[in-house]
Amino acid sequence: MTVTLLGSASLLDRQSGRRGDAAYLCALAADPAARFLIMAGHTPLIAADPSGLWFSAAAIQRAAIGDAEPLFLGILPSSQAGYFALSACEASAAKLASHTDLHAPTDIRTIASSGSLPAGDVALAGLARSLFAWHESARHCGWCGAKTAMTDGGWKRRCEPCGKDTFPRLDPVVIMLVTDGESCILAHEPRYKPGMFSCPAGYIEPGEDIAHAVRREIHEELGLTVTDVAITSSQPWPFPHSLMIGCTAICLPGPLNIDPAEIVEARWFTRGEATQLVAGTHPDGVWIPGPQAIAHHLIRAFAEPA
Ligand SMILES: [Zn+2]
């Protein structure tokens, strides 16, 4: 299964073996071909002209954004140009806007669902959002409490006093399409907008494999027993740094018993109804996440089996 948006930052060669070479990264960033993505909080700044997400070093300097060390995203294989991400304070973002025509700030979910940027660019904005979120939460050492410093182009933080390194955090989540063969079960969680149903999901816990996490989550949230767990797809989900692991599972007969703390309503949808949900034409007005989310693709694969 191909997940089209927020899928994979495969546009760039991450050069993971050279991130520790500060001189190499400095030379890449100083090259006029280098391009910079700018995050203002959790929102990428987007130029109204075709350059979109990518700003030149000159534009960065004019807005005085370049003081902080940038995160290294990788190089574009065709040109060998370095691609970086910077975080801009409110004043710097305003200064940039004073000499560059910018689109109104839009969160990454909305950008992904609108299709206004190439999928690879949206994925890179998501990567930058995840990395910046981790840096915000890892400013102090978890062992000794001292301040840590960013290194390796933003892919590591080091505590000088105790010598410990920490690495970007990734939270694995299982998300599953559970079916009895004829219908699939979807849930409405308390945090969802009215009418939205999606695949049940939950974090994998230490000591679990993926299949165990699927069985446990479905039993805890819906009271159902599932078998035949299969992994079908995966997707980075940068809110803030999850990896969604898409699975299917077969439900054994048994009563539905939902956990009201997690689920407001769970409902079985026939294959025909799943087709309506994918098309956005379900007669009850209920709806599912758009194609930027892995849930959409799990439900679509059930509605339109190969
Ligand atoms: Zn320490």
Side-chain angles (χ1 to χ4, degrees), residues 177-224:
L177 191 291
V178 172
T179 172
D180 63 2
E182 303 297 325
S183 302
C184 68
I185 191 161
L186 302 177
H188 178 80
E189 296 186 12
R191 63 193 173 93
Y192 290 174
K193 290 180 182 171
M196 189 180 103
F197 279 76
S198 189
C199 300
Y203 288 104
I204 301 177
E205 295 183 346
E208 285 189 314
D209 60 29
I210 291 168
H212 186 279
V214 168
R215 290 194 299 268
R216 177 184 54 76
E217 283 288 343
I218 292 297
H219 190 259
E220 286 175 359
E221 294 189 359
L222 303 173
L224 298 172

Side-chain angles (χ1 to χ4, degrees), residues 141 143-146 159 162 164:
C141 175
W143 286 271
C144 77
C159 175
C162 80
K164 296 278 192 188

Side-chain angles (χ1 to χ4, degrees), residues 19-277:
R19 289 170 187 160
D21 184 344
Y24 171 66
L25 297 187
C26 269
L28 277 178
D31 192 296
R35 289 293 176 269
F36 298 83
L37 174 165
I38 305 166
M39 298 293 288
H42 295 152
T43 305
L45 300 181
I46 303 173
D49 65 35
S51 60
L53 206 54
W54 302 107
F55 295 85
S56 67
I60 298 295
Q61 280 160 10
R62 277 199 299 272
I65 295 173
D67 291 346
E69 196 179 339
L71 305 182
F72 176 55
L73 302 178
I75 62 167
L76 191 63
S78 59
S79 67
Q80 300 289 297
Y83 279 64
F84 297 86
L86 283 161
S87 179
C89 64
E90 212 167 290
S92 293
K95 200 166 180 184
L96 186 73
S98 71
H99 59 71
T100 305
D101 200 9
L102 299 178
H103 284 298
T106 310
D107 70 273
I108 292 175
R109 276 191 187 86
T110 305
I111 294 169
S113 57
S114 72
S116 59
L117 284 180
D121 282 0
V122 180
L124 288 166
L127 162 61
R129 188 189 193 284
S130 284
L131 275 182
F132 280 126
W134 170 67
H135 283 288
E136 285 169 19
S137 67
R139 285 176 289 190
H140 290 86
C141 175
W143 286 271
C144 77
K147 281 190 174 171
T148 59
M150 180 177 120
T151 180
D152 288 36
W155 293 87
K156 188 156 78 174
R157 293 189 74 87
R158 176 164 296 157
C159 175
E160 289 300 342
C162 80
K164 296 278 192 188
D165 290 334
T166 55
F167 297 88
R169 174 172 173 166
L170 190 64
D171 301 322
V173 175
V174 283
I175 180 165
M176 40 276 179
L177 191 291
V178 172
T179 172
D180 63 2
E182 303 297 325
S183 302
C184 68
I185 191 161
L186 302 177
H188 178 80
E189 296 186 12
R191 63 193 173 93
Y192 290 174
K193 290 180 182 171
M196 189 180 103
F197 279 76
S198 189
C199 300
Y203 288 104
I204 301 177
E205 295 183 346
E208 285 189 314
D209 60 29
I210 291 168
H212 186 279
V214 168
R215 290 194 299 268
R216 177 184 54 76
E217 283 288 343
I218 292 297
H219 190 259
E220 286 175 359
E221 294 189 359
L222 303 173
L224 298 172
T225 301
V226 297
T227 182
D228 293 280
V229 175
I231 303 166
T232 63
S233 51
S234 64
Q235 178 196 36
W237 189 246
F239 309 103
H241 27 55
S242 291
L243 174 67
M244 308 299 290
I245 302 169
C247 299
T248 57
I250 304 294
C251 185
L252 300 178
L256 193 58
N257 183 19
I258 67 170
D259 175 358
E262 300 272 352
I263 306 284
V264 176
E265 182 185 358
R267 179 169 163 182
W268 288 97
F269 292 89
T270 65
R271 205 177 296 276
E273 286 182 292
T275 304
Q276 293 172 327
L277 289 170

